[in-house]
Amino acid sequence: MRPLLLSLALLPIACSEAEPRPPPTDRFVFPSGIHHRSVEGSTNGVLYVSSANFDRCFDQGTVMAVDLDQVGVEGNRLPPIASASAPAAPVETITQLNVAPESRVFIQSYAGELAFWERLDAPPRIFVTARAEGDYLHYIDVPEPTKLSCVGSSSDNCLEGAVSLTSLPGQVKDLPRAPAPFGVSVGEEGDVWVTHLSAADSPARSAGTQGSTYESYVVRLAGDSPGVSTSDFFPLSLPDLPQGGSNSVISDTRYVLISGRFQGNPAEARRFLLRVVDKSNPSRVIDPGLDLSFAANDARGLALTEGATPDSPRRLYMAVRSPDSLLIVNAEGLSTDSPRLTVVGSAPLPNGPTEVRLVKRDSGSDLVLVSCSDAGVVAVYDPDVGQVVAQVAVGQVQGARSPQPFGLAVRKQGNAARVFVSNFGDGRISVIDIPDLSSPQQARLVAYLGARQDEGQSATCTEVQQ
């Protein structure tokens, strides 16, 4: 997913600042974070999608609640989940999203991951990171399935109540800071954990100069009330081990698991693939040494299986790069003082593995989905077979251009599943059906949602995308 790796300092501003440029409300613009929600009385449910506005053609990004029962027009609707016995049908292209005004809000640009908190005593809440000016975490309530409300604001501009992770009182030599916030995960108690792609230089903007130092953090925020202080930043550095930015995060019951982005010297012998933070004592950071068993350059998405009991062994799946692979990690003792994480296998993946999601099956191990941004495919790994059993192309890769599949969301229906994929590169949501979860090799592309962003835009914006 090449655009996500660009330095923010190098990103051009695409259009003139002279006139307001509100983002479109009828299509996605570099969609990134995504979540599917099943809703009682709805056939297809609701899809929550953040638009990153990565080329800065507009003033802001958006978050939309898309009613999947209402997309399209008569004769061009989202089809039912494909049957295993049905022949493959032509791929539907549904450009009309039919999003109501109350179903979208505005956020900062460069949105990253999106987390959905299903609360028992209050409406659900969405958390979205954004890496443009301010380095924000947005809080968005969902009082009704297709209605969005900015927390801390009476308008539809969620920047007014967002929390900056780089500008806060009490900093010393501009630390702590979390520049380029990206990964976000919500724990069982409503604790929100956020990673950041770029290590924080100290003083700020001193990177590469003599005397500059760096630090990376995982940030803890309260999900029920926006706010952060310097005491909520927990350093991830360990003596004699590399540090860099961090990518994705899982907030489990006892521990927080964080994947690392490589930003060091290529000659370094070690890599930051995974760090583990103890919630009961967040100053305690563990590096399980996965890089000693598998020499990948850096790590991206994470997914952790559930355990039958708190002490049951579990599987952690990690998308790693160079070599591009799915790393399979045995996780034990995640409720104890001595967690043990050990590499037990790997599987080669198409180029650019990025995000990882699990699909539970009624029998057998969870299926593992991986978006492979550079290759333009979603890979399906079956642990019971021990290999990738399907690669579903979500668009045509032409030279350096790819649809860049990124975020993954799953709707399970009986022994079938529908997968929604945010195509960061072409601006659409790809819809993939797995008609029979016991035969995942039958996975197939069935539809696109939204209009292409890489066709028909202004020459200025097209030039920036290149």
Side-chain angles (χ1 to χ4, degrees):
M1 190 167 185
R2 185 172 60 183
L4 285 179
L5 305 181
L6 294 174
S7 167
L8 296 183
L10 299 178
L11 289 171
I13 302 300
C15 307
S16 169
E17 297 288 347
E19 298 180 359
R21 298 164 295 142
T25 57
D26 60 349
R27 62 184 176 90
F28 310 114
V29 182
F30 293 94
S32 52
I34 187 170
H35 176 82
H36 179 269
R37 180 186 181 192
S38 295
V39 176
E40 186 176 355
S42 170
T43 301
N44 295 292
V46 178
L47 197 64
Y48 303 95
V49 182
S50 61
S51 284
N53 185 35
F54 195 79
D55 57 7
R56 299 302 288 265
C57 282
F58 308 103
D59 291 328
Q60 293 176 280
T62 61
V63 174
M64 295 185 186
V66 182
D67 186 342
L68 295 175
D69 288 348
Q70 298 300 319
V71 295
V73 295
E74 192 66 34
N76 181 223
R77 300 284 191 184
L78 193 63
I81 292 180
S83 166
S85 59
V91 176
E92 292 278 359
T93 298
I94 304 170
T95 58
Q96 290 187 254
L97 300 178
N98 301 325
V99 175
E102 67 270 14
S103 300
R104 58 100 180 99
V105 292
F106 302 106
I107 61 171
Q108 183 58 288
S109 298
Y110 309 145
E113 294 183 352
L114 177 155
F116 191 90
W117 183 24
E118 190 75 74
R119 297 187 284 181
L120 297 178
D121 56 351
R125 179 164 286 180
I126 292 172
F127 304 94
V128 184
T129 57
R131 309 187 304 285
E133 298 86 348
D135 296 293
Y136 289 112
L137 176 69
H138 302 87
Y139 287 60
I140 303 168
D141 277 346
V142 190
E144 299 174 15
T146 57
K147 184 176 181 179
L148 302 178
S149 174
C150 299
V151 178
S153 171
S154 59
S155 73
D156 56 7
N157 184 357
C158 291
L159 267 72
E160 296 173 2
V163 178
S164 173
L165 300 182
T166 51
S167 179
L168 58 157
Q171 292 170 311
V172 178
K173 293 185 178 179
D174 299 314
L175 293 181
R177 292 170 19 251
F182 184 73
V184 58
S185 177
V186 188
E188 295 176 351
E189 303 301 322
D191 48 321
V192 183
W193 298 82
V194 178
T195 64
H196 58 109
L197 295 181
S198 302
D201 55 346
S202 177
R205 295 176 294 279
S206 66
T209 63
Q210 187 174 4
S212 177
T213 59
Y214 297 88
E215 185 60 86
S216 292
Y217 304 90
V218 63
V219 188
R220 179 184 62 193
L221 302 95
D224 54 2
S225 58
V228 71
S229 69
T230 57
S231 62
D232 297 314
F233 287 69
F234 304 107
L236 296 174
S237 57
L238 289 169
D240 302 320
L241 289 176
Q243 68 177 30
S246 50
N247 193 92
S248 294
V249 57
I250 294 174
S251 176
D252 199 41
T253 303
R254 170 75 185 268
Y255 292 98
V256 179
L257 290 75
I258 303 124
S259 62
R261 292 284 283 262
F262 179 67
Q263 292 182 336
N265 185 336
E268 290 180 353
R270 297 291 305 274
R271 294 290 186 267
F272 167 13
L273 293 186
L274 185 72
R275 298 274 158 88
V276 180
V277 172
D278 189 343
K279 285 187 179 182
S280 63
N281 177 17
S283 62
R284 180 183 176 223
V285 182
I286 302 166
D287 189 311
L290 301 185
D291 64 303
L292 297 175
S293 300
F294 193 92
N297 203 42
D298 64 0
R300 302 303 170 98
L302 302 168
L304 182 66
T305 63
E306 298 177 358
T309 68
D311 297 322
S312 298
R314 300 160 71 182
R315 281 284 192 264
L316 174 69
Y317 295 98
M318 299 177 58
V320 299
R321 294 193 178 185
S322 298
D324 291 4
S325 306
L326 180 67
L327 206 58
I328 304 157
V329 178
N330 191 55
E332 297 183 277
L334 293 184
S335 64
T336 72
D337 292 337
S338 303
R340 300 173 299 282
L341 294 105
T342 309
V343 176
V344 294
S346 65
L349 289 172
N351 293 344
T354 302
E355 293 286 283
V356 183
R357 287 292 180 273
L358 301 179
V359 184
K360 292 191 70 64
R361 293 192 283 189
D362 296 335
S363 61
S365 304
D366 296 350
L367 287 178
V368 185
L369 309 176
V370 186
S371 57
C372 300
S373 297
D374 295 343
V377 306
V378 173
V380 183
Y381 173 81
D382 188 341
D384 294 342
V385 178
Q387 64 184 33
V388 171
V389 296
Q391 297 183 34
V392 183
V394 296
Q396 186 176 3
V397 178
Q398 297 177 324
R401 290 179 56 188
S402 163
Q404 297 178 27
F406 176 65
L408 299 164
V410 177
R411 172 197 169 201
K412 190 169 178 290
Q413 180 176 302
N415 195 43
R418 171 160 282 175
V419 182
F420 299 91
V421 189
S422 60
N423 288 2
F424 188 88
D426 70 26
R428 300 180 292 180
I429 303 299
S430 295
V431 184
I432 296 172
D433 281 356
I434 307 177
D436 183 353
L437 292 175
S438 60
S439 300
Q441 66 273 13
Q442 298 178 9
R444 66 186 79 159
L445 179 70
V446 297
Y448 291 112
L449 300 178
R452 297 186 68 108
Q453 70 190 11
D454 55 351
E455 297 177 355
Q457 289 196 0
S458 72
T460 302
C461 292
T462 301
E463 181 179 353
V464 171
Q465 288 181 33
Q466 295 173 350

